[in-house]
Amino acid sequence: MDLMLGDTKFSIKEENIENVIKAFKKTYSKNANIKVEDINSIEDVFWEFGYNVFTDEDGNITDIDNDSSNLPGGQKKFFSSIAKYVERESYIILKTDDSQSKFIFDDGKVKEFKGEVVFCNKNLGYDRILAILNYILDYACDLYRVR
């Protein structure tokens, strides 16, 4: 299944970019699939996991975008390795055809929330609609408490 990037709000301050590179190299130093000795820039770090970075005139990362429609596995480990340097309240949504994960960065950690995409070909009754609305409200309240 293709893993695609959904909505994002992502930023890293310029003064943390070298720390991100070091943290990435430390986490993946024993990974045979990633040659950390070839990683020399923040662009190289994000390229390993399928992303392009966008920066402002001060060198701060202001957003990311995917470079293909199929991102590699291991995204949570990647985000966890750099979470300490990602700005608070940044988030990334990754989607497949039938599910999605939202990664929220807060206090140097990344939290993952998973959801399912469900298609229904039946008419929804009143009880089912209320159950769905209650689920949405519970989910929204959980996200609010995380912030």
Side-chain angles (χ1 to χ4, degrees):
M1 237 184 262
D2 289 346
L3 183 61
M4 301 167 284
L5 183 64
D7 189 29
T8 65
K9 176 186 169 193
F10 188 83
S11 61
I12 299 174
K13 292 198 183 281
E14 186 275 332
E15 63 259 17
N16 287 321
I17 289 180
E18 284 302 315
N19 292 327
V20 170
I21 296 168
K22 288 176 187 174
F24 178 82
K25 285 183 171 187
K26 182 179 177 185
T27 301
Y28 290 96
S29 63
K30 293 181 173 57
N31 187 313
N33 297 323
I34 298 175
K35 296 180 178 170
V36 294
E37 62 274 4
D38 294 339
I39 304 294
N40 298 310
S41 68
I42 196 70
E43 290 82 8
D44 293 341
V45 168
F46 279 85
W47 184 258
E48 285 294 325
F49 281 87
Y51 299 103
N52 295 309
V53 294
F54 297 96
T55 57
D56 62 15
E57 62 276 352
D58 296 325
N60 302 306
I61 295 176
T62 57
D63 205 358
I64 61 172
D65 194 7
N66 55 317
D67 67 339
S68 77
S69 64
N70 192 12
L71 296 169
Q75 297 285 322
K76 183 171 184 180
K77 180 180 178 181
F78 169 59
F79 294 138
S80 295
S81 75
I82 64 170
K84 183 176 180 181
Y85 306 105
V86 177
E87 288 298 298
R88 189 168 192 257
E89 296 186 7
S90 291
Y91 66 86
I92 296 169
I93 296 176
L94 298 177
K95 304 185 294 185
T96 64
D97 290 339
D98 58 359
S99 68
Q100 69 179 18
S101 293
K102 183 173 186 177
F103 296 93
I104 298 175
F105 296 86
D106 189 24
D107 292 330
K109 296 185 177 160
V110 63
K111 297 174 185 166
E112 180 180 13
F113 296 90
K114 293 186 177 193
E116 257 182 75
V117 177
V118 179
F119 298 97
C120 181
N121 60 358
K122 299 177 187 176
N123 289 331
L124 295 176
Y126 180 75
D127 291 339
R128 182 72 178 139
I129 291 171
L130 282 177
I132 292 169
L133 289 174
N134 280 329
Y135 176 79
I136 291 169
L137 284 172
D138 286 345
Y139 182 76
C141 291
D142 284 344
L143 287 179
Y144 183 75
R145 280 192 291 266
V146 167
R147 289 183 168 193

